[in-house]
Amino acid sequence: MANINATPGESHLAHHFVDSEQQFDSSKLGMWIFLVTEVLFFGGLFVAYIVYRSWNPELFYMSAKELSTIMGAINTVVLIGSSLTIALAVRAAQLNQQANISRYLIATILLACVFLVIKYFEYTSKFAVGILPGELYTYTGIDHPGAPIFFSIYYMMTGLHGIHVIIGIGLMVYLLVKTRQGSYNAAYFTPVEITALYWHLVDLIWIFLFPLLYLIE
Amino acid sequence: MSSHEHHVIDLKYLLGAAAGLIILTILTVGASYVEIPRPFDLLTAMALAFGKATLVAAVFMGLIWDKKINTMALLFSLLFFFLMIGITLLDTLFRDRPFWIYN
Amino acid sequence: MSAATKDFKIREFPVEENPKEHYLNAASGLKSWLFTVDHKRIGLMYLASIIFFFFVGGLLALALRLELWEPARTFMDADTYNRVFTLHGAVMVFLFIIPSIPAALGNFFLPMMLGAKDVAFPKLNLLSFWIYSFGALFTLYSIAHGGVDTGWTFYTPYSTSTGTAVISMTLGVFIMGFSSILTGINFIVTVHKMRAPGQTWGKLPLFIWSLYATAIIQVLATPVLAITLLLLIMERTLGVGIFDPALGGDPVLYQHFFWFYSHPAVYIMIVPAFGIISEIISTFSKKTIFGYWLIALSSLAIAFTGFLVWGHHMFVSGQSELSTIIFSFLTFFVGIPTGIKILNWVATMYKGSIDMKTPMLYAMMFLFLFSIGGFTGIMLGALSVNVHLHDTYYVVAHFHYVMMGGTVFAFLAGIHYWWPKMTGKMYNELWAKIASVVLFIGFNVTFLPQFVMGSQGMPRRYYSYIEQFQTLHQTSTVGSWVLGLGFIIVGIYLTISLFSKANKASSNPWGARALEWMSSSPPPHHNFNHTPVVLHNPYDFHKPISEFRLGIDGSDNHHEHTEVAQTQPAEKS
Ligand code: HEM
Ligand SMILES: [Cu+2]
């Protein structure tokens, strides 16, 4: 093989890479470019948000009042916490602390679930009063001709974000299983690292969603 | 070529970033209760959000210690997002206003 | 990025002619194709799918042209006509032309030109092919369920109210978008991280530069298409109303979103074609490419400016007057990098020893046809002219000159150029030349009259027309038959070349200098039996070819040869 400086024992090295650093850098760059696509994917919704807010500032003000700032704030803190724990999981992998990788992954998964549970309560309380997206919207508490548009955007944004949270949980469960099998260590932790990047992006998007949706004065 | 070259982020940075994020969150919520005239309320909220985003990207995502190309990728995505929104606003904000040449 | 500088010996690796073992017979059976991670096989699978969909789209086009034989009904009703032109457009754009050059030829040659064994993420590459196929199934499903009658642009509000299969169609396009994104990510990372030792950015073949620029557009624009279509699907299923005025939405916003993707997407279609033309013109002029950096960087400039002009599709949509003026102004700028490329190609040929082989013939046709397409694009970008020409056959002629006259002719040029490398067989040069001339004539007979009709006011997407246009329409229809004939000839002689035994191709039939020609035809499973090393620019025709066949000494498991002892630091960034 044309492996010009294969280090012995690099079992994770795929055949087409020269060395594991090249492999690690490639995966990481690949993930970052994927995150670029995520930014533009959500970007479309942010554009819709900005356009409609600039057209209906009063509507956005009235609608945001319907959302619970407390729940939104708690969820913000929850996601920040989960970002910290996944960063610690990466650190544990780098330092070869097997038990800690699992522990931090579990903590992250739990926090992600807390986020979803809170979101669930938020959604159901809105559904109960007829605040549903688009055509299904029946709520009468907001007196504005374009009333449904804020919540259409709200559901699209938080829904899509929620799907990303669920995907993230799936990825971390997979990591957890692999960690238990001893797959990750100081020499090889690429999947942990790039999943963490993904998870931080989920956090980043929420950091913008929170003030934009909940805190309009 | 061994993985020992990878930067292990110091614990104090991770915890510091987390603390900073919590503080900024409290500030964000607090600011929303203060009467700030438009559009500065939105600008404050966005400035705080960008501060938080920078912390996450720089520390948690490790961009400070990472290859520059990854930072560039992130900045590019923002650039193109701003192009998208900026150019779209040229339409939506000026829909009903005839262009001065035609008057 | 591996900053470490290592010392190693390099020597020449002569190329094995007509090898017994190569990627095509490295494994056999259907599974060895469907589950392969070999970028070459994946490229060929894309090629086959793309040709299939080109055939489907082509049949639909022939049907459209035939219907337009008579001013009123010829053989289908107006409703069917609407569905047929929608399917023609959607199939040609999303299933054929977007994946065409990057996914088929790009997949095959990008790693080879970089001297890599594969793309950075081979499994992702395979996944991307499956996703493409899966998305294509949705499209076929919607064809079976009555098709779609919105036009390939799926404009709201019609697309949210029509009774046709919009959801399955847009879902298919949504899914194929992911395939396009994954290919883009793969290519960007591969170009950054997998270049052969010594291959600096300044020594990249221009085809690579063009694929790199294309990949950037794919990555930045396609997600916006995804969210747009998702919103459209949501609008149809849940009535979220983001584009529906009755629910507080705005249909023009749909057009912004759609064209934010789709104008850059026309550069996804044409920029790889530019790359092929650069390779071919240099090779068949036997001359260093003129203005290497200008051509390389103008691809990136096109990628960037392409994001600023989408509103030229919306001049009469009701967007603000301010933005129409700005969009029109910016549109003229995209002409500049494109013009730079054309000038450099012509300057490359100047005083070169030009060899009019089939690929070069296609490249010449490309220059001619694409220039017409580009100039008419600039015309359409002029605000006042556009108000007259928008939604007429003039636009139809414009985009066929760039997409078919440009991209498809470049694709044909590329297929002929690389055919010997991909298959190890040489096609019949005489028939290839005849076919190219038939195609060229057929193309112009089909589309030149459309400029005339359009400027006289013949609207596009119409099933009937006033009698005044009949001669022009019939000329155009006859042209479409000539085009069809041309493709049949191409299909026949290429197929024959695959099965005949006497026409084995040599490893470098054109005397090119880029890395893919320094491997055997067809290439071995891992592209090279050694790690290639690059010293020169791939267009340095004045340097001996032996200096383009270097590799790291000892990096192969083959027999020994005389050593060209040299020590060379490997640098990558
Ligand atoms: C020289 C650069 C180009 C310019 C300035 C340009 C300009 C334009 C303009 C202004 C229109 C809108 C016409 C109208 O609907 O009123 C248009 C339509 C179109 N162009 Fe171009 N164009 C250029 C290159 C290309 C290329 C390279 C492609 C594809 C490979 C392309 C594909 C299309 C398509 C598909 C449409 C029609 C879209 C539709 O409404 O269905 N153009 N072009
Ligand atoms: Cu355009």
Side-chain angles (χ1 to χ4, degrees):
Chain A
M1 289 282 79
N3 219 333
I4 53 170
N5 60 338
T7 330
E10 287 188 289
S11 59
H12 293 283
L13 185 63
H15 76 277
H16 60 294
F17 286 111
V18 173
D19 55 43
S20 62
E21 179 176 294
Q22 186 190 26
Q23 184 172 13
F24 178 80
D25 282 350
S26 299
S27 306
K28 209 162 166 183
L29 179 61
M31 192 54 177
W32 270 105
I33 298 171
F34 178 73
L35 298 187
V36 167
T37 71
E38 289 278 13
V39 170
L40 283 143
F41 186 61
F42 277 95
L45 287 175
F46 279 99
V47 169
Y49 173 93
I50 294 171
V51 166
Y52 291 123
R53 179 162 173 179
S54 72
W55 276 341
N56 315 292
E58 293 310 319
L59 169 67
F60 274 57
Y61 171 65
M62 290 185 281
S63 307
K65 282 262 173 306
E66 301 288 332
L67 297 174
S68 158
T69 306
I70 301 285
M71 288 204 182
I74 294 177
N75 257 349
T76 308
V77 175
V78 168
L79 277 191
I80 291 173
S82 72
S83 261
L84 175 64
T85 51
I86 191 100
L88 290 171
V90 174
R91 195 167 180 277
Q94 288 174 323
L95 299 176
N96 241 338
Q97 303 163 338
Q98 292 296 326
N100 277 347
I101 312 180
S102 298
R103 248 176 244 145
Y104 287 127
L105 281 176
I106 291 171
T108 315
I109 294 169
L110 286 180
L111 286 169
C113 292
V114 171
F115 178 89
L116 286 180
V117 169
I118 294 182
K119 208 75 225 143
Y120 169 81
F121 282 116
E122 279 192 83
Y123 272 14
T124 44
S125 72
K126 292 287 159 301
F127 292 166
V129 293
I131 297 182
L132 285 154
E135 271 167 13
L136 309 171
Y137 183 91
T138 53
Y139 186 59
T140 49
I142 297 173
D143 183 24
H144 191 285
I149 196 73
F150 175 88
F151 284 100
S152 294
I153 294 177
Y154 166 81
Y155 281 117
M156 283 304 299
M157 286 181 135
T158 54
L160 214 55
H161 180 260
I163 291 175
H164 279 79
V165 173
I166 294 170
I167 294 173
I169 293 178
L171 292 175
M172 287 183 289
V173 169
Y174 168 82
L175 289 184
L176 190 60
V177 173
K178 283 296 212 178
T179 307
R180 289 280 159 84
Q181 295 167 0
S183 297
Y184 308 125
N185 50 49
Y188 178 73
F189 56 93
T190 314
V192 189
E193 169 91 16
I194 63 174
T195 308
L197 285 178
Y198 168 85
W199 190 254
H200 293 311
L201 185 91
V202 172
D203 186 20
L204 273 182
I205 290 180
W206 183 259
I207 284 176
F208 286 95
L209 289 184
F210 173 55
L212 286 178
L213 294 173
Y214 291 77
L215 301 179
I216 308 175
E217 26 177 333
Chain B
M1 295 296 105
S2 83
S3 50
H4 299 296
E5 286 171 20
H6 295 303
H7 185 87
V8 181
I9 303 173
D10 225 70
L11 207 54
K12 66 170 189 264
Y13 286 114
L14 292 178
L15 295 176
L21 285 166
I22 305 281
I23 293 171
L24 287 175
T25 305
I26 295 171
L27 281 180
T28 312
V29 176
S32 77
Y33 289 103
V34 184
E35 276 300 323
I36 309 175
R38 269 182 214 154
F40 298 102
D41 52 348
L42 182 63
L43 290 181
T44 322
M46 285 299 98
L48 288 167
F50 270 103
K52 287 163 78 177
T54 313
L55 269 182
V56 173
V59 182
F60 283 166
M61 297 171 105
L63 281 181
I64 302 182
W65 303 278
D66 208 349
K67 302 246 148 59
K68 294 285 166 294
I69 177 102
N70 297 339
T71 313
M72 260 172 64
L74 182 64
L75 291 180
F76 255 81
S77 71
L78 291 180
L79 171 71
F80 280 85
F81 167 71
F82 283 120
L83 280 176
M84 172 160 61
I85 178 60
I87 298 179
T88 306
L89 284 176
L90 286 179
D91 166 25
T92 61
L93 290 182
F94 298 90
R95 270 290 162 82
D96 306 320
R97 274 186 252 173
F99 195 64
W100 49 269
I101 295 182
Y102 299 141
N103 298 326
Chain C
M1 284 279 160
S2 57
T5 309
K6 300 161 218 124
D7 283 344
F8 46 75
K9 281 188 166 178
I10 59 176
R11 66 170 173 85
E12 187 189 343
F13 284 81
V15 185
E16 187 184 355
E17 294 298 337
N18 304 315
K20 287 233 162 41
E21 282 168 33
H22 46 74
Y23 79 103
L24 287 169
N25 60 18
S28 61
L30 188 62
K31 266 196 186 161
S32 78
W33 284 89
L34 290 181
F35 297 104
T36 181
V37 288
D38 180 358
H39 65 98
K40 298 185 285 305
R41 287 184 166 219
I42 294 175
L44 287 193
M45 289 197 291
Y46 266 118
L47 190 61
S49 326
I50 281 157
I51 290 173
F52 170 74
F53 284 110
F54 186 66
F55 183 69
V56 172
L59 288 183
L60 293 166
L62 288 174
L64 291 171
R65 282 314 323 167
L66 191 59
E67 171 50 43
L68 293 168
W69 188 258
E70 296 286 336
R73 182 190 161 101
T74 309
F75 76 104
M76 57 169 105
D77 57 28
D79 243 6
T80 318
Y81 183 83
N82 289 348
R83 287 162 207 233
V84 174
F85 79 66
T86 302
L87 288 178
H88 163 68
V91 167
M92 284 301 198
V93 169
F94 297 113
L95 287 132
F96 167 68
I97 202 168
I98 298 239
S100 64
I101 299 176
L105 296 176
N107 245 325
F108 199 109
F109 289 106
L110 179 123
M112 289 198 73
M113 289 175 139
L114 297 175
K117 284 190 224 163
D118 210 317
V119 290
F121 311 114
K123 284 186 198 140
L124 206 64
N125 202 16
L126 178 63
L127 180 68
S128 141
F129 175 74
W130 281 353
I131 294 177
Y132 166 81
S133 315
F134 188 59
L137 287 183
F138 276 81
T139 318
L140 294 175
Y141 171 89
S142 27
I143 296 181
H145 284 250
V148 183
D149 62 353
T150 60
W152 75 280
T153 46
F154 309 117
Y155 271 11
T156 55
Y158 185 63
S159 58
T160 51
S161 57
T162 169
T164 49
V166 176
I167 295 189
S168 54
M169 187 68 143
T170 45
L171 208 57
V173 174
F174 176 81
I175 293 169
M176 282 183 283
F178 285 98
S179 155
S180 187
I181 288 176
L182 294 183
T183 305
I185 295 179
N186 226 332
F187 282 9
I188 294 179
V189 177
T190 309
V191 173
H192 271 276
K193 304 288 183 190
M194 312 283 287
R195 303 194 306 278
Q199 192 174 44
T200 54
W201 286 89
K203 288 174 187 158
L204 285 180
L206 288 164
F207 184 49
I208 300 290
W209 271 106
S210 75
L211 287 174
Y212 182 71
T214 308
I216 291 178
I217 311 176
Q218 281 173 300
V219 161
L220 289 169
T222 317
V224 179
L225 177 73
I227 192 73
T228 312
L229 296 178
L230 197 64
L231 286 172
L232 181 59
I233 293 168
M234 285 302 173
E235 186 128 0
R236 271 186 84 94
T237 49
L238 294 178
V240 289
I242 289 189
F243 304 128
D244 181 358
L247 297 167
D250 174 35
V252 178
L253 193 64
Y254 174 86
Q255 299 188 21
H256 279 298
F257 280 9
F258 184 82
W259 290 112
F260 182 87
Y261 165 75
S262 288
H263 185 80
V266 307
Y267 293 107
I268 298 180
M269 306 170 194
I270 197 71
V271 172
F274 292 160
I276 293 182
I277 298 302
S278 302
E279 297 294 323
I280 288 177
I281 286 191
S282 177
T283 299
F284 290 94
S285 305
K286 284 281 169 301
K287 201 163 149 261
T288 308
I289 194 96
F290 186 89
Y292 172 87
W293 280 109
L294 281 173
I295 297 183
L297 296 181
S298 61
S299 292
L300 291 178
I302 289 175
F304 180 73
T305 43
F307 277 93
L308 309 178
V309 301
W310 75 81
H312 64 216
H313 296 270
M314 302 165 57
F315 286 150
V316 298
S317 69
Q319 67 179 354
S320 75
E321 286 172 3
L322 176 69
S323 56
T324 53
I325 287 169
I326 293 175
F327 277 128
S328 177
F329 178 73
L330 291 174
T331 296
F332 294 116
F333 283 95
V334 282
I336 297 173
T338 317
I340 290 178
K341 280 186 192 288
I342 297 197
L343 284 176
N344 283 304
W345 290 327
V346 175
T348 303
M349 290 188 289
Y350 180 66
K351 290 193 171 168
S353 34
I354 295 174
D355 185 4
M356 266 303 161
K357 289 271 168 33
T358 310
M360 187 62 165
L361 200 56
Y362 275 115
M364 294 302 100
M365 294 172 179
F366 169 94
L367 283 187
F368 181 80
L369 300 175
F370 177 74
S371 299
I372 296 179
F375 278 126
T376 52
I378 299 286
M379 296 266 298
L380 284 169
L383 200 40
S384 49
V385 182
N386 183 277
V387 174
H388 175 66
L389 294 176
H390 178 71
D391 265 347
T392 68
Y393 263 76
Y394 193 91
V395 177
V396 178
H398 153 67
F399 67 70
H400 282 93
Y401 265 83
V402 278
M403 291 161 92
M404 177 133 188
T407 307
V408 174
F409 273 71
F411 188 50
L412 284 165
I415 290 198
H416 286 85
Y417 183 56
W418 283 307
W419 189 258
K421 181 58 62 182
M422 293 191 289
T423 64
K425 297 291 177 62
M426 192 48 102
Y427 50 82
N428 183 306
E429 181 70 24
L430 178 66
W431 276 108
K433 281 200 171 120
I434 293 173
S436 69
V437 172
V438 172
L439 285 174
F440 183 75
I441 294 171
F443 178 82
N444 284 294
V445 174
T446 310
F447 293 105
L448 211 55
Q450 300 190 355
F451 278 125
V452 182
M453 275 191 267
S455 58
Q456 292 174 359
M458 171 72 214
R460 70 189 277 206
R461 294 179 174 171
Y462 271 44
Y463 147 88
S464 54
Y465 52 87
I466 51 176
E467 260 159 44
Q468 161 196 350
F469 293 122
Q470 187 164 16
T471 323
L472 289 168
H473 268 302
Q474 291 188 340
T475 314
S476 181
T477 303
V478 171
S480 71
W481 300 335
V482 180
L483 263 180
L485 174 71
F487 282 112
I488 291 174
I489 304 177
V490 175
I492 291 176
Y493 69 75
L494 285 185
T495 315
I496 290 178
S497 82
L498 280 183
F499 293 101
S500 65
K501 297 261 181 295
N503 55 345
K504 286 212 161 52
S506 71
S507 65
N508 191 358
W510 321 122
R513 289 292 186 274
L515 261 183
E516 82 271 25
W517 300 105
M518 307 306 150
S519 176
S520 48
S521 300
H525 181 50
H526 286 314
N527 299 343
F528 298 91
N529 288 320
H530 55 276
T531 304
V533 171
V534 176
L535 289 187
H536 303 306
N537 192 290
Y539 309 103
D540 285 349
F541 286 93
H542 50 283
K543 296 189 176 138
I545 199 152
S546 57
E547 292 182 15
F548 292 83
R549 292 183 174 148
L550 304 176
I552 293 176
D553 191 21
S555 65
D556 71 330
N557 40 14
H558 268 57
H559 28 271
E560 287 302 314
H561 290 278
T562 41
E563 288 196 1
V564 185
Q566 242 172 318
T567 310
Q568 191 70 27
E571 278 172 51
K572 282 199 271 175
S573 65

